[in-house]
Tab-separated table of all heavy atoms in Angstrom:
chain	number	residue	atom	x	y	z
A	1069	SER	N	114.354	97.864	87.428
A	1069	SER	CA	113.910	97.271	86.129
A	1069	SER	C	112.927	96.153	86.415
A	1069	SER	O	111.916	96.040	85.706
A	1069	SER	CB	115.107	96.770	85.350
A	1069	SER	OG	115.952	97.802	84.996
A	1070	ALA	N	113.196	95.330	87.387
A	1070	ALA	CA	112.285	94.209	87.716
A	1070	ALA	C	110.930	94.749	88.191
A	1070	ALA	O	109.879	94.228	87.787
A	1070	ALA	CB	112.925	93.365	88.807
A	1071	VAL	N	110.957	95.762	89.000
A	1071	VAL	CA	109.697	96.394	89.458
A	1071	VAL	C	108.943	96.974	88.256
A	1071	VAL	O	107.716	96.845	88.142
A	1071	VAL	CB	109.961	97.448	90.546
A	1071	VAL	CG1	108.708	98.229	90.845
A	1071	VAL	CG2	110.497	96.778	91.802
A	1072	GLY	N	109.670	97.589	87.364
A	1072	GLY	CA	109.070	98.171	86.141
A	1072	GLY	C	108.412	97.100	85.285
A	1072	GLY	O	107.327	97.298	84.753
A	1073	VAL	N	109.039	95.946	85.177
A	1073	VAL	CA	108.478	94.841	84.381
A	1073	VAL	C	107.181	94.368	85.005
A	1073	VAL	O	106.179	94.185	84.316
A	1073	VAL	CB	109.500	93.671	84.246
A	1073	VAL	CG1	108.844	92.410	83.730
A	1073	VAL	CG2	110.664	94.079	83.365
A	1074	VAL	N	107.185	94.181	86.326
A	1074	VAL	CA	105.970	93.721	87.006
A	1074	VAL	C	104.851	94.746	86.879
A	1074	VAL	O	103.713	94.400	86.550
A	1074	VAL	CB	106.281	93.420	88.483
A	1074	VAL	CG1	105.018	93.144	89.255
A	1074	VAL	CG2	107.218	92.245	88.595
A	1075	LEU	N	105.171	96.007	87.122
A	1075	LEU	CA	104.131	97.042	87.046
A	1075	LEU	C	103.629	97.230	85.609
A	1075	LEU	O	102.428	97.383	85.365
A	1075	LEU	CB	104.653	98.371	87.601
A	1075	LEU	CG	104.863	98.399	89.111
A	1075	LEU	CD1	105.471	99.742	89.524
A	1075	LEU	CD2	103.557	98.178	89.841
A	1076	GLY	N	104.534	97.185	84.636
A	1076	GLY	CA	104.128	97.301	83.237
A	1076	GLY	C	103.243	96.166	82.787
A	1076	GLY	O	102.247	96.368	82.105
A	1077	GLY	N	103.614	94.960	83.181
A	1077	GLY	CA	102.783	93.785	82.827
A	1077	GLY	C	101.433	93.828	83.498
A	1077	GLY	O	100.401	93.495	82.875
A	1078	THR	N	101.404	94.230	84.748
A	1078	THR	CA	100.134	94.332	85.482
A	1078	THR	C	99.227	95.396	84.888
A	1078	THR	O	98.016	95.188	84.714
A	1078	THR	CB	100.399	94.636	86.976
A	1078	THR	OG1	101.259	93.629	87.496
A	1078	THR	CG2	99.118	94.645	87.772
A	1079	ALA	N	99.795	96.538	84.540
A	1079	ALA	CA	99.006	97.621	83.967
A	1079	ALA	C	98.434	97.229	82.613
A	1079	ALA	O	97.263	97.492	82.308
A	1079	ALA	CB	99.867	98.871	83.827
A	1080	SER	N	99.262	96.562	81.779
A	1080	SER	CA	98.728	96.160	80.454
A	1080	SER	C	97.685	95.075	80.596
A	1080	SER	O	96.694	95.046	79.828
A	1080	SER	CB	99.859	95.734	79.548
A	1080	SER	OG	100.510	94.582	80.086
A	1081	GLN	N	97.838	94.169	81.592
A	1081	GLN	CA	96.831	93.134	81.819
A	1081	GLN	C	95.520	93.775	82.250
A	1081	GLN	O	94.447	93.343	81.850
A	1081	GLN	CB	97.330	92.114	82.811
A	1081	GLN	CG	96.449	90.913	82.981
A	1081	GLN	CD	96.341	90.120	81.689
A	1081	GLN	OE1	97.312	89.883	81.020
A	1081	GLN	NE2	95.115	89.725	81.342
A	1082	ALA	N	95.611	94.756	83.125
A	1082	ALA	CA	94.406	95.477	83.594
A	1082	ALA	C	93.710	96.177	82.425
A	1082	ALA	O	92.475	96.183	82.317
A	1082	ALA	CB	94.749	96.459	84.668
A	1083	GLU	N	94.503	96.732	81.518
A	1083	GLU	CA	93.960	97.414	80.318
A	1083	GLU	C	93.244	96.397	79.421
A	1083	GLU	O	92.161	96.683	78.884
A	1083	GLU	CB	95.072	98.094	79.569
A	1083	GLU	CG	94.608	98.941	78.394
A	1083	GLU	CD	95.735	99.607	77.677
A	1083	GLU	OE1	96.784	99.828	78.297
A	1083	GLU	OE2	95.557	99.917	76.479
A	1084	ILE	N	93.821	95.222	79.272
A	1084	ILE	CA	93.208	94.179	78.465
A	1084	ILE	C	91.880	93.736	79.095
A	1084	ILE	O	90.860	93.594	78.407
A	1084	ILE	CB	94.153	92.970	78.334
A	1084	ILE	CG1	95.356	93.306	77.493
A	1084	ILE	CG2	93.412	91.746	77.749
A	1084	ILE	CD1	96.478	92.315	77.535
A	1085	ASN	N	91.876	93.537	80.394
A	1085	ASN	CA	90.642	93.113	81.106
A	1085	ASN	C	89.562	94.167	80.953
A	1085	ASN	O	88.387	93.858	80.777
A	1085	ASN	CB	90.930	92.830	82.570
A	1085	ASN	CG	91.787	91.587	82.753
A	1085	ASN	OD1	91.922	90.759	81.841
A	1085	ASN	ND2	92.392	91.449	83.914
A	1086	GLN	N	89.949	95.455	81.130
A	1086	GLN	CA	88.966	96.526	80.992
A	1086	GLN	C	88.429	96.587	79.567
A	1086	GLN	O	87.227	96.811	79.401
A	1086	GLN	CB	89.654	97.852	81.369
A	1086	GLN	CG	88.719	99.025	81.377
A	1086	GLN	CD	89.413	100.313	81.757
A	1086	GLN	OE1	90.663	100.363	81.807
A	1086	GLN	NE2	88.674	101.352	82.054
A	1087	CYS	N	89.248	96.379	78.599
A	1087	CYS	CA	88.831	96.438	77.214
A	1087	CYS	C	87.823	95.303	76.922
A	1087	CYS	O	86.817	95.501	76.270
A	1087	CYS	CB	90.039	96.299	76.305
A	1087	CYS	SG	89.679	96.361	74.557
A	1088	GLN	N	88.119	94.131	77.451
A	1088	GLN	CA	87.258	92.992	77.184
A	1088	GLN	C	85.962	93.037	77.997
A	1088	GLN	O	84.979	92.406	77.622
A	1088	GLN	CB	87.983	91.684	77.504
A	1088	GLN	CG	89.110	91.409	76.512
A	1088	GLN	CD	89.947	90.224	76.846
A	1088	GLN	OE1	89.879	89.694	77.948
A	1088	GLN	NE2	90.767	89.801	75.885
A	1089	ALA	N	85.954	93.781	79.080
A	1089	ALA	CA	84.743	93.902	79.903
A	1089	ALA	C	83.859	95.074	79.480
A	1089	ALA	O	82.772	95.262	80.040
A	1089	ALA	CB	85.133	94.049	81.383
A	1090	ALA	N	84.280	95.837	78.498
A	1090	ALA	CA	83.494	97.003	78.041
A	1090	ALA	C	82.185	96.553	77.416
A	1090	ALA	O	82.118	95.468	76.826
A	1090	ALA	CB	84.321	97.808	77.037
A	1091	PRO	N	81.138	97.345	77.581
A	1091	PRO	CA	79.819	96.984	77.024
A	1091	PRO	C	79.868	96.829	75.493
A	1091	PRO	O	79.197	95.936	74.963
A	1091	PRO	CB	78.908	98.139	77.420
A	1091	PRO	CG	79.678	98.983	78.323
A	1091	PRO	CD	81.128	98.613	78.301
A	1092	SER	N	80.603	97.633	74.818
A	1092	SER	CA	80.722	97.490	73.369
A	1092	SER	C	82.195	97.298	73.041
A	1092	SER	O	83.031	98.189	73.238
A	1092	SER	CB	80.161	98.728	72.643
A	1092	SER	OG	80.890	99.875	73.046
A	1093	LEU	N	82.542	96.144	72.498
A	1093	LEU	CA	83.937	95.840	72.200
A	1093	LEU	C	84.360	96.550	70.887
A	1093	LEU	O	83.632	96.486	69.911
A	1093	LEU	CB	84.115	94.316	72.033
A	1093	LEU	CG	83.893	93.502	73.284
A	1093	LEU	CD1	84.011	92.014	72.947
A	1093	LEU	CD2	84.885	93.850	74.351
A	1094	SER	N	85.499	97.119	70.956
A	1094	SER	CA	86.021	97.796	69.749
A	1094	SER	C	86.762	96.799	68.879
A	1094	SER	O	87.121	95.704	69.319
A	1094	SER	CB	86.966	98.936	70.158
A	1094	SER	OG	88.115	98.405	70.745
A	1095	ASN	N	86.988	97.172	67.653
A	1095	ASN	CA	87.738	96.325	66.708
A	1095	ASN	C	89.137	96.073	67.209
A	1095	ASN	O	89.654	94.947	67.109
A	1095	ASN	CB	87.756	97.009	65.350
A	1095	ASN	CG	87.318	96.059	64.267
A	1095	ASN	OD1	86.900	94.943	64.509
A	1095	ASN	ND2	87.440	96.528	63.049
A	1096	GLU	N	89.738	97.113	67.765
A	1096	GLU	CA	91.106	97.021	68.273
A	1096	GLU	C	91.185	96.046	69.405
A	1096	GLU	O	92.125	95.236	69.516
A	1096	GLU	CB	91.579	98.406	68.730
A	1096	GLU	CG	92.990	98.423	69.276
A	1096	GLU	CD	93.408	99.767	69.817
A	1096	GLU	OE1	92.700	100.754	69.591
A	1096	GLU	OE2	94.463	99.810	70.464
A	1097	CYS	N	90.185	96.030	70.248
A	1097	CYS	CA	90.140	95.140	71.419
A	1097	CYS	C	90.036	93.682	70.964
A	1097	CYS	O	90.651	92.779	71.536
A	1097	CYS	CB	88.977	95.488	72.305
A	1097	CYS	SG	88.849	94.545	73.813
A	1098	LEU	N	89.264	93.446	69.915
A	1098	LEU	CA	89.067	92.081	69.435
A	1098	LEU	C	90.271	91.544	68.666
A	1098	LEU	O	90.502	90.327	68.693
A	1098	LEU	CB	87.820	92.024	68.544
A	1098	LEU	CG	86.496	92.274	69.258
A	1098	LEU	CD1	85.379	92.359	68.249
A	1098	LEU	CD2	86.204	91.206	70.266
A	1099	THR	N	91.014	92.381	67.997
A	1099	THR	CA	92.121	91.931	67.178
A	1099	THR	C	93.443	91.928	67.901
A	1099	THR	O	94.422	91.370	67.341
A	1099	THR	CB	92.249	92.774	65.910
A	1099	THR	OG1	92.441	94.159	66.300
A	1099	THR	CG2	90.999	92.680	65.030
A	1100	GLN	N	93.548	92.532	69.047
A	1100	GLN	CA	94.827	92.557	69.762
A	1100	GLN	C	95.125	91.232	70.409
A	1100	GLN	O	94.276	90.576	70.987
A	1100	GLN	CB	94.764	93.617	70.901
A	1100	GLN	CG	95.234	94.952	70.505
A	1100	GLN	CD	95.228	95.915	71.713
A	1100	GLN	OE1	94.575	95.615	72.723
A	1100	GLN	NE2	95.910	96.994	71.583
A	1101	ASP	N	96.390	90.821	70.299
A	1101	ASP	CA	96.853	89.617	70.946
A	1101	ASP	C	97.177	89.962	72.414
A	1101	ASP	O	98.061	90.780	72.653
A	1101	ASP	CB	98.072	89.076	70.253
A	1101	ASP	CG	98.629	87.803	70.865
A	1101	ASP	OD1	97.846	87.105	71.587
A	1101	ASP	OD2	99.783	87.463	70.588
A	1102	PRO	N	96.491	89.341	73.411
A	1102	PRO	CA	96.745	89.691	74.790
A	1102	PRO	C	98.194	89.456	75.245
A	1102	PRO	O	98.763	90.214	76.014
A	1102	PRO	CB	95.794	88.771	75.577
A	1102	PRO	CG	94.774	88.401	74.615
A	1102	PRO	CD	95.407	88.389	73.250
A	1103	LEU	N	98.798	88.384	74.736
A	1103	LEU	CA	100.197	88.072	75.103
A	1103	LEU	C	101.129	89.190	74.585
A	1103	LEU	O	101.999	89.678	75.292
A	1103	LEU	CB	100.603	86.739	74.560
A	1103	LEU	CG	102.067	86.314	74.851
A	1103	LEU	CD1	102.254	86.216	76.367
A	1103	LEU	CD2	102.371	85.023	74.172
A	1104	TYR	N	100.912	89.610	73.337
A	1104	TYR	CA	101.742	90.684	72.753
A	1104	TYR	C	101.580	91.969	73.560
A	1104	TYR	O	102.534	92.654	73.830
A	1104	TYR	CB	101.375	90.899	71.285
A	1104	TYR	CG	102.066	92.055	70.669
A	1104	TYR	CD1	103.399	91.947	70.246
A	1104	TYR	CD2	101.443	93.275	70.494
A	1104	TYR	CE1	104.061	93.015	69.700
A	1104	TYR	CE2	102.092	94.357	69.911
A	1104	TYR	CZ	103.391	94.218	69.512
A	1104	TYR	OH	104.049	95.287	68.959
A	1105	LYS	N	100.349	92.290	73.909
A	1105	LYS	CA	100.070	93.512	74.669
A	1105	LYS	C	100.746	93.455	76.050
A	1105	LYS	O	101.294	94.455	76.487
A	1105	LYS	CB	98.540	93.674	74.813
A	1105	LYS	CG	98.139	94.966	75.405
A	1105	LYS	CD	98.355	96.121	74.457
A	1105	LYS	CE	97.789	97.402	75.045
A	1105	LYS	NZ	98.162	98.552	74.333
A	1106	THR	N	100.716	92.294	76.690
A	1106	THR	CA	101.357	92.130	77.998
A	1106	THR	C	102.873	92.283	77.878
A	1106	THR	O	103.517	92.979	78.674
A	1106	THR	CB	101.000	90.790	78.600
A	1106	THR	OG1	99.584	90.683	78.698
A	1106	THR	CG2	101.614	90.629	79.988
A	1107	VAL	N	103.455	91.643	76.893
A	1107	VAL	CA	104.917	91.737	76.673
A	1107	VAL	C	105.322	93.167	76.344
A	1107	VAL	O	106.340	93.658	76.836
A	1107	VAL	CB	105.384	90.747	75.555
A	1107	VAL	CG1	106.835	90.999	75.143
A	1107	VAL	CG2	105.184	89.326	76.033
A	1108	GLU	N	104.483	93.856	75.548
A	1108	GLU	CA	104.771	95.262	75.252
A	1108	GLU	C	104.754	96.110	76.545
A	1108	GLU	O	105.662	96.915	76.726
A	1108	GLU	CB	103.679	95.757	74.274
A	1108	GLU	CG	103.880	97.206	73.854
A	1108	GLU	CD	102.777	97.668	72.923
A	1108	GLU	OE1	101.629	97.175	73.045
A	1108	GLU	OE2	103.030	98.580	72.144
A	1109	GLY	N	103.788	95.893	77.393
A	1109	GLY	CA	103.733	96.624	78.675
A	1109	GLY	C	104.927	96.333	79.554
A	1109	GLY	O	105.480	97.203	80.203
A	1110	MET	N	105.337	95.059	79.561
A	1110	MET	CA	106.479	94.674	80.379
A	1110	MET	C	107.772	95.308	79.853
A	1110	MET	O	108.610	95.739	80.655
A	1110	MET	CB	106.610	93.137	80.392
A	1110	MET	CG	105.486	92.463	81.156
A	1110	MET	SD	105.502	90.693	80.935
A	1110	MET	CE	106.829	90.219	82.008
A	1111	SER	N	107.937	95.367	78.552
A	1111	SER	CA	109.156	95.978	78.004
A	1111	SER	C	109.195	97.476	78.233
A	1111	SER	O	110.258	98.041	78.526
A	1111	SER	CB	109.316	95.636	76.528
A	1111	SER	OG	108.211	96.000	75.798
A	1112	VAL	N	108.025	98.133	78.160
A	1112	VAL	CA	108.003	99.576	78.445
A	1112	VAL	C	108.337	99.787	79.941
A	1112	VAL	O	109.051	100.713	80.289
A	1112	VAL	CB	106.620	100.150	78.084
A	1112	VAL	CG1	106.460	101.553	78.661
A	1112	VAL	CG2	106.426	100.147	76.576
A	1113	GLY	N	107.787	98.922	80.795
A	1113	GLY	CA	108.105	98.980	82.224
A	1113	GLY	C	109.572	98.779	82.494
A	1113	GLY	O	110.156	99.436	83.380
A	1114	LEU	N	110.187	97.877	81.752
A	1114	LEU	CA	111.615	97.593	81.934
A	1114	LEU	C	112.435	98.852	81.610
A	1114	LEU	O	113.305	99.248	82.338
A	1114	LEU	CB	112.030	96.440	81.038
A	1114	LEU	CG	113.536	96.155	80.947
A	1114	LEU	CD1	114.018	95.580	82.263
A	1114	LEU	CD2	113.806	95.218	79.814
A	1115	LEU	N	112.109	99.453	80.469
A	1115	LEU	CA	112.828	100.678	80.085
A	1115	LEU	C	112.587	101.822	81.067
A	1115	LEU	O	113.501	102.576	81.403
A	1115	LEU	CB	112.437	101.097	78.681
A	1115	LEU	CG	112.864	100.147	77.575
A	1115	LEU	CD1	112.278	100.569	76.216
A	1115	LEU	CD2	114.368	100.074	77.476
A	1116	ALA	N	111.346	101.962	81.530
A	1116	ALA	CA	111.036	103.047	82.458
A	1116	ALA	C	111.743	102.826	83.805
A	1116	ALA	O	112.320	103.766	84.367
A	1116	ALA	CB	109.532	103.107	82.665
A	1117	GLY	N	111.762	101.581	84.273
A	1117	GLY	CA	112.453	101.289	85.548
A	1117	GLY	C	113.950	101.513	85.461
A	1117	GLY	O	114.579	102.089	86.345
A	1118	ALA	N	114.537	101.039	84.350
A	1118	ALA	CA	115.982	101.205	84.172
A	1118	ALA	C	116.328	102.693	84.025
A	1118	ALA	O	117.316	103.167	84.582
A	1118	ALA	CB	116.448	100.429	82.932
A	1119	GLY	N	115.511	103.430	83.279
A	1119	GLY	CA	115.756	104.858	83.106
A	1119	GLY	C	115.654	105.624	84.408
A	1119	GLY	O	116.480	106.486	84.699
A	1120	ALA	N	114.655	105.274	85.213
A	1120	ALA	CA	114.499	105.924	86.505
A	1120	ALA	C	115.672	105.598	87.438
A	1120	ALA	O	116.169	106.495	88.146
A	1120	ALA	CB	113.196	105.489	87.156
A	1121	ALA	N	116.092	104.381	87.435
A	1121	ALA	CA	117.226	103.998	88.286
A	1121	ALA	C	118.510	104.672	87.838
A	1121	ALA	O	119.296	105.149	88.701
A	1121	ALA	CB	117.412	102.476	88.238
A	1122	LEU	N	118.743	104.752	86.568
A	1122	LEU	CA	119.929	105.445	86.079
A	1122	LEU	C	119.910	106.929	86.415
A	1122	LEU	O	120.891	107.500	86.843
A	1122	LEU	CB	120.095	105.248	84.571
A	1122	LEU	CG	120.523	103.819	84.135
A	1122	LEU	CD1	120.462	103.718	82.623
A	1122	LEU	CD2	121.910	103.496	84.665
A	1123	GLY	N	118.730	107.532	86.240
A	1123	GLY	CA	118.582	108.946	86.598
A	1123	GLY	C	118.821	109.201	88.064
A	1123	GLY	O	119.504	110.169	88.448
A	1124	ALA	N	118.276	108.334	88.922
A	1124	ALA	CA	118.460	108.495	90.367
A	1124	ALA	C	119.932	108.266	90.731
A	1124	ALA	O	120.478	108.973	91.581
A	1124	ALA	CB	117.581	107.511	91.118
A	1125	THR	N	120.574	107.305	90.072
A	1125	THR	CA	121.977	107.042	90.367
A	1125	THR	C	122.875	108.245	89.989
A	1125	THR	O	123.755	108.609	90.753
A	1125	THR	CB	122.459	105.796	89.628
A	1125	THR	OG1	121.602	104.671	89.987
A	1125	THR	CG2	123.870	105.442	89.934
A	1126	VAL	N	122.582	108.850	88.867
A	1126	VAL	CA	123.372	110.024	88.434
A	1126	VAL	C	123.168	111.142	89.435
A	1126	VAL	O	124.132	111.819	89.812
A	1126	VAL	CB	122.960	110.442	87.016
A	1126	VAL	CG1	123.486	111.806	86.675
A	1126	VAL	CG2	123.431	109.411	86.007
A	1127	GLU	N	121.956	111.348	89.886
A	1127	GLU	CA	121.686	112.415	90.872
A	1127	GLU	C	122.401	112.158	92.181
A	1127	GLU	O	122.946	113.074	92.810
A	1127	GLU	CB	120.192	112.557	91.112
A	1127	GLU	CG	119.466	113.221	89.962
A	1127	GLU	CD	119.941	114.616	89.678
A	1127	GLU	OE1	120.177	115.413	90.631
A	1127	GLU	OE2	120.180	114.935	88.498
A	1128	ILE	N	122.437	110.893	92.624
A	1128	ILE	CA	123.142	110.547	93.866
A	1128	ILE	C	124.648	110.825	93.725
A	1128	ILE	O	125.284	111.375	94.608
A	1128	ILE	CB	122.870	109.093	94.252
A	1128	ILE	CG1	121.426	108.918	94.675
A	1128	ILE	CG2	123.820	108.621	95.349
A	1128	ILE	CD1	120.946	107.488	94.844
Side-chain angles (χ1 to χ4, degrees):
S1069 296
V1071 171
V1073 167
V1074 171
L1075 289 176
T1078 304
S1080 62
Q1081 188 62 44
E1083 185 179 336
I1084 291 167
N1085 292 344
Q1086 184 180 13
C1087 181
Q1088 292 175 346
S1092 60
L1093 295 176
S1094 67
N1095 231 5
E1096 181 183 348
C1097 183
L1098 293 173
T1099 58
Q1100 268 184 342
D1101 181 20
L1103 180 62
Y1104 175 77
K1105 187 71 174 169
T1106 302
V1107 170
E1108 182 183 28
M1110 292 170 77
S1111 55
V1112 169
L1114 173 70
L1115 293 174
L1122 288 173
T1125 303
V1126 167
E1127 286 300 315
I1128 290 170

